[in-house]
Amino acid sequence: MLEEAGEEVLGSVLLKASCLPLSFLLVLPAVLLLLLGPPPASAAHEFTVYRMQQYELGGQPYGTRNAVLNTEARTVEADVLSRRCVMMRLMDFSYEQYQKALRQSAGAVVIILPQSMSSVPQDVIRQFMEREPEMLAMETIVPVYFAEEDDELLSIYEQTQAASASQGSASAAEVLLHTATANGFQMVTSGAQSKAISDWQITSVEGRLAGLGGDDLPTIVIVAHYDSFGVAPWLSHGADSNGSGVAVLLELARLFSRLYTYKRTHAGYNLLFFASGGGKFNYQGTKRWLEDNLDHTDSSLLQDNVAFVLCLDTLGRGNSLLLHVSKPPKEGTLQHAFLKELELVVASQFPEVRFSMVHKKINLAEDMLAWEHERFAIRRLPAFTVSHLESHRDGPRNSIMDVRARVDSRVLTRNTRIVVEALTRVIYNLTEKGVPADLQVFTEQMQIQQEQMESVMDWLTSQPRAAQLVDKDGTFISTLEYYMSRYLKDVKQHHVKADKRDPEFVFYDQLKQVMNAYRVKPAIFDLLLALCIAAYLGVAYVAVQHFGLLYKLVQRLSLKSKQQ
C-alpha cells in the first residue's frame, strides 16, 4: 500500500514538473504554422500587360469586353479552365486551344510574347498574323492580355504548366496530394473595368506645295494613313503598315519641295499631302476630311481640279509592286499616264520588280473598305493605292508582328524611287519631251536619302500608333506636323470627333495595366492543415488527461529494455 501511494505521489510530482513542456505542446502547432505553413499571399511578380482591342465601329463591337482579372492561373494542359487565368506562350500558341479556353468560360487569357520577335520562327509569326483578325472578330467577355516574357514570368508559366499537366495524368490521390502541397498563382490586375472614352479626337495633318502658273491648276493628292493596328493597341507599331507609307510620303514632300523652290523646276501642279488618322478604322480621318472639303467649304483644292489621288500603303517589303484601283483608268487621263510611267520606270530601271494593276470594285455591303483610295473613289475622285500586297486582307496590314525588322530599308528606298520617278515624269511630261525611260531624275544632291528614311522609320516604330493612343496634343502629332512644316506650306491639323448621338467609332480605355502574380496555397491546403492541427490538439489533450497511465506505460517499457 505504501508502494502504491508512493507511485501516486511520484506521478503527481512528475505531472507538476512537466507542466512547462505540456504547455509547450499546446503552443507548438502555432509555432509550426508560422514556420512551416504557407506565408501570407505576397506578390511573386509584377509585370505590365496589354489588353486586346476593345472598340465599336458602326455600332458593331469588336474584341474583348472585360478588363478585370482576379483568378488562379492555369495552362491549357489543365482539364478544367473555367474561371481560371489561362496562360499561353506565343511559341506554343494554338488557335484551337485559345477557342477551348473561351468555350470553357475561362476567367482570362494571358498570351506571353518573347522579348525579341526576331527569334520567333517565321511560320509561327505567319500563323499568328492569320489568326489575329479572327481573334478580334470573335467578341468575348473574357479579358485577353498580352505580356512580354521575362525570367520571373517564364518561371511562373513553367510552374503553372507542371501543376496543370499533373492533374490530367495522375491518380485522384496524387492529384489531391499535389493540390494540397503545390504553390499556385493568383493573377490580379490593378486597373478598373473599361469604359468608353468620351470626346476622343482622331487627328490628321495636311500640307501643300502650290503650283506655278495660275489659279485653276490641277491638283495631285498624296495620302498615307499613319496609324497602326493589331490585336493589342499598345503592341501595334505598324512598321510596314503603314509606317513605310508615311516615310515615303515625307520623302516625296522633301524632294518636291526642293524642285518647287526654283522657278525653273516649279511645276504647274498643286501637290497636296495628307497624313491621315483613323485609317485602320474605315479611314475615318479621310472620310471627314473629304466631307469638310467637298461639302462644307467653297474654296478647296479638292473641289477645283483633282488630277488623281495617290495613296501609299505597305511599301517596305517584297519584290512586287501593285497599283490597286476601283476602276481602271481610261486612256488619255493623267491617272492612266501615271500607270504607264510606273510600268516604264519599273521595266527600264528595276527589272527585278514585278509590277501589275489590281482591279477590285468597291463593296459597299462590307463594313470596312478595302483600301484608302476607295474613300476618294466613292466621292468620284480618281484614286489608286500603291502597295506590295496583293490583297487588303493580308496579315501584315493588321498585326502586332509588323515590327521594324520586317521593313527592308533598301526595298523601301527602291519603291520610293519608283514612285517619285514615275510621278516626276507625269508632272513634268518627260516622256513626251523625249527623256529616256532609264534616265534617273533624282541623283547626286537630289537623290533619295536612305539614312534619313531609316531614321524616320525608327521614329515611327519607336511608339505604338494605334488610333486610340495618338493624342492630338501628344508628341507624335506635334513631331509629324513639325516635319511636314519643314517642306510644305499651310500645314495644319484636321480633327475628327465621333457623333454623340450616333457615333461611328467608340474607343475604350484600360488597354495597358499592371498585373500581379501572387504566390498562394490552394484552399484545400487550409482545410487539411486545420484537420492536422485538430488531430494534434486532440492527441495532446488525451495525453494530458491520462498522463498517469502514459507514464506507467513508458516506465514499464523502459524497465523491460533495461532487463534485456
Side-chain angles (χ1 to χ4, degrees), residues 50 321 368 447:
Y50 309 95
L321 202 60
M368 294 281 292
Q447 66 181 346

Side-chain angles (χ1 to χ4, degrees), residues 505-545:
F505 60 91
V506 179
F507 297 143
Y508 288 79
D509 60 6
Q510 301 296 334
L511 298 174
K512 179 181 179 182
Q513 296 191 26
V514 173
M515 181 176 291
N516 290 300
Y518 293 101
R519 189 184 301 273
V520 295
K521 286 290 187 181
I524 193 173
F525 176 84
D526 296 333
L527 177 61
L528 291 178
L529 185 62
L531 292 175
C532 291
I533 293 174
Y536 176 85
L537 292 176
V539 171
Y541 176 79
V542 172
V544 170
Q545 292 296 318

Side-chain angles (χ1 to χ4, degrees), residues 366-421:
E366 292 186 357
D367 296 332
M368 294 281 292
L369 294 177
W371 299 97
E372 190 160 14
H373 71 265
E374 295 183 354
R375 275 290 173 210
F376 296 91
I378 290 175
R379 301 304 299 261
R380 300 187 181 280
L381 295 176
F384 28 67
T385 297
V386 179
S387 172
H388 72 81
L389 298 178
E390 295 184 1
S391 171
H392 66 284
R393 300 185 186 278
D394 287 349
R397 289 196 76 211
N398 303 294
S399 176
I400 61 175
M401 301 296 168
D402 184 14
V403 295
R404 175 67 178 91
R406 289 186 58 83
V407 172
D408 188 328
S409 298
R410 291 173 298 178
V411 172
L412 181 62
T413 303
R414 181 202 67 197
N415 289 339
T416 304
R417 181 176 293 280
I418 293 174
V419 173
V420 72
E421 291 279 351

Side-chain angles (χ1 to χ4, degrees), residues 327-513:
K327 184 179 180 181
K330 296 181 179 179
E331 291 189 17
T333 61
L334 204 63
Q335 56 265 34
H336 184 268
F338 180 69
L339 169 62
K340 292 302 179 182
E341 294 293 355
L342 278 175
E343 294 176 344
L344 193 64
V345 170
V346 169
S348 59
Q349 300 183 25
F350 304 95
E352 73 280 6
V353 178
R354 300 184 300 272
F355 176 79
S356 62
M357 184 183 71
V358 179
H359 174 215
K360 177 188 174 300
K361 293 183 178 180
I362 302 176
N363 187 357
L364 296 177
E366 292 186 357
D367 296 332
M368 294 281 292
L369 294 177
W371 299 97
E372 190 160 14
H373 71 265
E374 295 183 354
R375 275 290 173 210
F376 296 91
I378 290 175
R379 301 304 299 261
R380 300 187 181 280
L381 295 176
F384 28 67
T385 297
V386 179
S387 172
H388 72 81
L389 298 178
E390 295 184 1
S391 171
H392 66 284
R393 300 185 186 278
D394 287 349
R397 289 196 76 211
N398 303 294
S399 176
I400 61 175
M401 301 296 168
D402 184 14
V403 295
R404 175 67 178 91
R406 289 186 58 83
V407 172
D408 188 328
S409 298
R410 291 173 298 178
V411 172
L412 181 62
T413 303
R414 181 202 67 197
N415 289 339
T416 304
R417 181 176 293 280
I418 293 174
V419 173
V420 72
E421 291 279 351
L423 194 57
T424 303
R425 295 183 70 86
V426 169
I427 292 175
Y428 293 95
N429 200 19
L430 298 183
T431 299
E432 291 190 7
K433 293 180 180 178
V435 177
D438 58 353
L439 177 64
Q440 293 187 358
V441 177
F442 294 90
T443 58
E444 299 179 357
Q445 295 182 353
M446 286 292 293
Q447 66 181 346
I448 297 170
Q449 297 181 356
Q450 180 173 325
E451 292 184 359
Q452 181 168 326
M453 295 192 70
E454 290 177 349
S455 299
V456 171
M457 284 300 306
D458 292 340
W459 165 66
L460 288 169
T461 56
S462 65
Q463 58 205 308
R465 304 188 314 280
Q468 56 267 65
L469 302 179
V470 179
D471 191 353
K472 65 182 180 66
D473 299 320
T475 57
F476 176 79
I477 293 297
S478 60
T479 304
L480 178 62
E481 185 177 14
Y482 168 77
Y483 198 100
M484 294 178 68
S485 299
R486 292 175 59 186
Y487 308 115
L488 306 175
K489 304 295 184 182
D490 300 327
V491 175
K492 57 184 178 181
Q493 297 183 14
H494 187 272
H495 303 288
V496 178
K497 186 184 295 186
D499 188 277
K500 293 186 177 181
R501 292 174 297 179
D502 186 20
E504 294 182 320
F505 60 91
V506 179
F507 297 143
Y508 288 79
D509 60 6
Q510 301 296 334
L511 298 174
K512 179 181 179 182
Q513 296 191 26

Side-chain angles (χ1 to χ4, degrees), residues 41-53:
S42 59
H45 187 47
E46 179 181 285
F47 55 99
T48 303
V49 289
Y50 309 95
R51 194 163 66 96
M52 178 190 278
Q53 290 270 9

Side-chain angles (χ1 to χ4, degrees), residues 57 202 277-278 281-288 496 504-505:
L57 189 61
I202 294 176
F281 292 91
N282 212 14
Y283 309 103
Q284 293 295 328
T286 300
K287 178 184 178 183
R288 190 67 60 85
V496 178
E504 294 182 320
F505 60 91

Side-chain angles (χ1 to χ4, degrees), residues 262-333:
Y262 307 102
K263 186 174 182 180
R264 184 170 58 88
T265 56
H266 199 158
Y269 285 87
N270 297 316
L271 299 182
L272 182 59
F273 294 83
F274 185 58
S276 62
K280 303 300 185 180
F281 292 91
N282 212 14
Y283 309 103
Q284 293 295 328
T286 300
K287 178 184 178 183
R288 190 67 60 85
W289 185 63
L290 286 171
E291 291 174 353
D292 290 346
N293 280 276
L294 297 179
D295 302 334
H296 303 146
T297 184
D298 295 330
S299 59
S300 169
L301 291 179
L302 295 178
Q303 287 182 334
D304 301 333
N305 183 12
V306 176
F308 59 82
V309 180
L310 172 62
C311 299
L312 307 168
D313 195 329
T314 51
L315 293 166
R317 287 175 64 88
N319 288 320
S320 299
L321 202 60
L322 300 103
L323 189 71
H324 296 269
V325 299
S326 302
K327 184 179 180 181
K330 296 181 179 179
E331 291 189 17
T333 61

